[in-house]
Amino acid sequence: MNENELLGDAQTFILECYQELGKSPAEAAHRIAQIKGEIQSTGGYQHTFEELSQGAKMAWRNSNRCIGRLFWDSLHVFDARDHHTEEEVYKALCDHLAFATNEGRIQPTITIFHPIENDCTQVRIWNHQLLRYAGYEKEKGVIGDPASVAFTQVCEELGWQGAGTPYDLLPLVIQIKNQPPKWFDVPRGLALEVPIHHPEYPAITDLRIQWYAVPIISDMKLVIGGITYPAAPFNGWYMGTEIGARNLADTERYNLLPQVASCIGLPTQINSTLWKDRALVELNIAVLHSFKEAGVSIVDHHTAAQQFAHFEKKEQKSKRSVTGDWSWLIPPLSPATTAIWHTAYPNDEQTPNYFYQRPPYS
């Protein structure tokens, strides 16, 4: 990006950001002049904490695939731009995890590390999520999460060794600039995990299913006003179907529907019995029941859809258009029972926003 493009992106962001913060046009003009001078002298500019915080919140609001955007303004923002060693980054990630978990009362949180500078990435987190289970490829299939097989192999090549169970938490892998990455174990007790059981089918407990409480996405980049932050892990709380209808149910993930069907006595030989649908509902009931019994924040997909409708109304009142990726907004369980199913959204890309990055180990 050249200096003129960067200044244009910065100006667009500052005008919108300052208006939302209730600042005057004169304040915005003064700040844009400051940024222009900084870009001309250094080739870039730095956000104030107020700009960084508001930009991260706006990025959540602009996330087309997120159904939970009603709470965008409640995001807790931690500024870690002065963290320059693997150990400093690791401590910040542990602090994020502890704060976000909050003994189960999940708090939407983001920790933002140093931006790209002179085309050089200063900090990169290799994990897809700060918490995720390993996947071990064996002759008879995968033990653990098949989605983690490639990254698990990377961690093993770096020297990490898991216990080989279906629910081994992967280490945190941190890279500073172009140095070799370092791995750190998640401290024992810091990651809250929820055993999954069903209120009516005790046999499901015997499957020894569990899942971690906080989904902290850590491999996306945050872009605010032309500045790219390649390490900016963020979280909300789970919608139940993310666990019960995807992570635990997808055939390319834990693929537990046949086992759940067996636990509740469903024949699985004929598709027309809808055994998959019935098992899927009971697995999702088990997830919601277990999280609520453990005192961990979670939302069912019907409530989440109602919250999204409320978000739409608030955005319309604020005279902002609502964009969305319909294929992601509809829940993977009973989507036709939600208003989202019957609504079309422009899938326009707005900034600030979070964007996918190529894995550094690919």
Side-chain angles (χ1 to χ4, degrees):
M1 180 181 293
N2 62 44
E3 291 185 2
N4 288 334
E5 290 174 329
L6 178 57
L7 179 59
D9 287 352
Q11 179 172 317
T12 299
F13 166 66
I14 292 298
L15 290 173
E16 184 178 5
C17 174
Y18 276 42
Q19 181 183 30
E20 292 187 13
L21 291 173
K23 295 180 180 291
S24 68
E27 289 176 291
H30 177 70
R31 177 60 178 139
I32 291 169
Q34 284 183 327
I35 291 172
K36 182 178 181 180
E38 194 173 347
I39 291 174
Q40 289 173 340
S41 61
T42 69
Y45 75 99
Q46 292 186 353
H47 291 122
T48 66
F49 175 74
E50 187 176 38
E51 294 163 1
L52 187 74
S53 178
Q54 183 66 11
K57 294 175 182 179
M58 293 165 67
W60 185 7
R61 191 181 70 208
N62 289 335
S63 297
N64 286 1
R65 293 183 170 185
C66 181
I67 195 175
R69 284 180 271 169
L70 174 63
F71 306 98
W72 67 271
D73 199 30
S74 68
L75 184 67
H76 296 268
V77 180
F78 290 117
D79 184 354
R81 290 176 291 177
D82 61 347
H83 291 40
H84 300 291
T85 69
E86 295 91 346
E87 289 73 20
E88 288 176 328
V89 173
Y90 171 63
K91 183 181 184 303
L93 297 181
C94 291
D95 291 343
H96 179 136
L97 182 55
F99 180 87
T101 303
N102 191 32
E103 298 182 340
R105 300 181 298 278
I106 309 303
Q107 302 183 102
T109 307
I110 186 170
T111 300
I112 305 173
F113 295 95
H114 204 289
I116 290 177
E117 193 172 78
N118 298 322
D119 295 325
C120 179
T121 295
Q122 307 296 307
V123 179
R124 187 72 193 271
I125 301 164
W126 283 28
N127 306 65
H128 169 56
Q129 296 183 23
L130 293 189
L131 301 179
R132 218 175 198 203
Y133 296 122
Y136 307 98
E137 197 160 27
K138 305 294 182 181
E139 288 184 5
K140 295 184 178 180
V142 174
I143 296 175
D145 192 343
S148 297
V149 167
F151 184 59
T152 300
Q153 292 172 348
V154 168
C155 293
E156 290 174 332
E157 291 169 1
L158 292 174
W160 176 81
Q161 188 171 18
T165 77
Y167 301 102
D168 290 348
L169 284 171
L170 287 160
L172 302 175
V173 179
I174 300 164
Q175 184 177 27
I176 303 297
K177 296 185 178 179
N178 294 319
Q179 300 172 19
K182 291 185 179 181
W183 64 268
F184 302 82
D185 275 321
V186 176
R188 185 179 297 275
L190 189 58
L192 179 60
E193 296 173 275
V194 179
I196 305 301
H197 58 280
H198 195 285
E200 298 177 23
Y201 298 105
I204 291 179
T205 303
D206 297 335
L207 297 178
R208 297 185 178 180
I209 307 167
Q210 64 185 54
W211 206 258
Y212 47 89
V214 193
I216 307 176
I217 303 297
S218 53
D219 63 351
M220 296 183 76
K221 62 184 178 182
L222 168 63
V223 179
I224 303 173
I227 302 297
T228 297
Y229 300 90
F234 61 92
N235 71 274
W237 48 77
Y238 268 118
M239 183 168 72
T241 53
E242 295 178 88
I243 304 170
R246 298 303 311 274
N247 299 337
L248 296 177
D250 280 357
T251 54
E252 66 271 21
R253 299 294 297 282
Y254 277 80
N255 192 26
L256 290 178
L257 291 188
Q259 295 180 58
V260 171
S262 178
C263 287
I264 62 180
L266 296 176
T268 60
Q269 293 81 9
I270 303 174
N271 286 333
S272 60
T273 63
L274 302 185
W275 68 267
K276 291 182 182 179
D277 307 74
R278 295 168 66 186
L280 187 63
V281 168
E282 298 302 341
L283 180 54
N284 278 269
I285 289 173
V287 168
L288 292 169
H289 170 77
S290 301
F291 268 65
K292 290 180 179 179
E293 193 172 76
V296 176
S297 303
I298 197 167
V299 64
D300 65 88
H301 52 291
H302 297 292
T303 301
Q306 292 171 348
Q307 291 170 346
F308 189 77
H310 188 39
F311 166 73
E312 291 183 82
K313 292 179 181 178
K314 290 186 69 173
E315 290 302 287
Q316 290 167 1
K317 188 175 181 180
S318 298
K319 297 182 179 180
R320 291 189 292 261
S321 61
V322 175
T323 58
D325 186 336
W326 182 88
S327 65
W328 276 70
L329 292 176
I330 56 170
L333 178 63
S334 305
T337 63
T338 69
I340 297 172
W341 177 266
H342 307 281
T343 308
Y345 303 94
N347 193 17
D348 299 330
E349 192 174 90
Q350 302 183 70
T351 57
N353 216 322
Y354 302 94
F355 298 94
Y356 291 101
Q357 306 179 92
R358 183 178 179 179
Y361 53 86
S362 64

